[in-house]
Amino acid sequence: MEFTLIDGKTQFQFPVKPEELTISRSKGYETINMLEHGEFDFAQGEKVKEITFSSFFPKEYDASYCMYEDLPDPRVAMNMLNTFLVSKKPLRFIITNTGVNVPVYLISHNTTFRGGESGDIYFDLTLRTWRDSKVEKVGSAASGSKSGSRTDLKKTSKTYTVKSGDSLSKIAKLELGSSSKWNEIYKLNAKIIGSDPNRIKPGQKLVMP
């Protein structure tokens, strides 16, 4: 099993195989806090995966753990990782004999020097998988009708069901944060309420501003 980073024509194989590798996956979500109902989570798709592992660049070859004999100088290897870190182009990360063959960014590179192991350089890496952002081109109304129905972008209005003991000022205070906004609710619901804004009935569904 070989761990390799490729930047165009530059190919870098890690000389010592990491003992373990972690791939973190999670789903994006947005939390909306609705008055009187609490919090609701809305899924927003999969987040970018993070890949983390640790290893070291040995100063001397040791057949018990080195993947190949012609080892890079640890300082040169470390500088290569720094070059990958500042690159604005995605790299390709490959682990042979696995399904890992993905474009990534190197986003974190931590280096450690240990006493008693002169010349060896230890490191921790964090990679984030890269994916191309595809933005659909918005056509004219005519082209939209040819491709099918267009997405309805109209915002769904929030409603409030009148309870016993409610008044428009009380509802405005609860839903809009200020009792003085009762007239905004009345203007939207005059047909339902009638000519007297003080006469609202339990069970009536009022549209909120």
Side-chain angles (χ1 to χ4, degrees), residues 136 144 148-154:
E136 293 185 4
S149 59
R150 290 180 292 174
T151 303
D152 185 5
L153 300 179
K154 185 178 180 180

Side-chain angles (χ1 to χ4, degrees), residues 72-128:
D73 182 275
R75 290 171 297 178
V76 174
M78 184 180 63
N79 289 335
M80 178 66 70
L81 292 184
N82 289 334
T83 300
F84 291 157
L85 182 67
V86 299
S87 175
K88 295 183 179 180
K89 299 185 300 180
L91 312 166
R92 181 155 293 276
F93 180 55
I94 300 173
I95 305 177
T96 57
N97 301 320
T98 71
V100 178
N101 185 339
V102 291
V104 297
Y105 282 119
L106 173 56
I107 64 166
S108 176
H109 169 213
N110 299 317
T111 303
T112 303
F113 298 90
R114 298 181 181 178
E117 300 181 33
S118 179
D120 293 348
I121 299 179
Y122 290 76
F123 62 86
D124 304 305
L125 293 187
T126 300
L127 310 171
R128 281 172 64 88

Side-chain angles (χ1 to χ4, degrees), residues 34-51:
M34 301 179 68
L35 294 176
E36 294 189 348
H37 299 290
E39 293 185 342
F40 294 85
D41 290 337
F42 296 91
Q44 294 188 328
E46 184 184 15
K47 285 188 174 181
V48 171
K49 299 180 184 69
E50 283 198 356
I51 303 171

Side-chain angles (χ1 to χ4, degrees), residues 160-181:
Y160 177 88
T161 302
V162 178
K163 302 178 183 64
S164 179
D166 277 344
S167 65
L168 290 184
S169 58
K170 179 180 177 181
I171 295 171
K173 177 66 175 177
L174 291 172
E175 298 294 313
L176 305 180
S178 173
S179 58
S180 63
K181 295 183 178 180

Side-chain angles (χ1 to χ4, degrees), residues 51-87:
I51 303 171
T52 58
F53 63 91
S54 302
S55 187
F56 71 101
F57 298 125
K59 180 66 175 177
E60 303 293 339
Y61 172 76
D62 188 322
S64 64
Y65 52 77
C66 291
M67 302 294 292
Y68 51 88
E69 294 186 17
D70 189 16
L71 298 176
D73 182 275
R75 290 171 297 178
V76 174
M78 184 180 63
N79 289 335
M80 178 66 70
L81 292 184
N82 289 334
T83 300
F84 291 157
L85 182 67
V86 299
S87 175

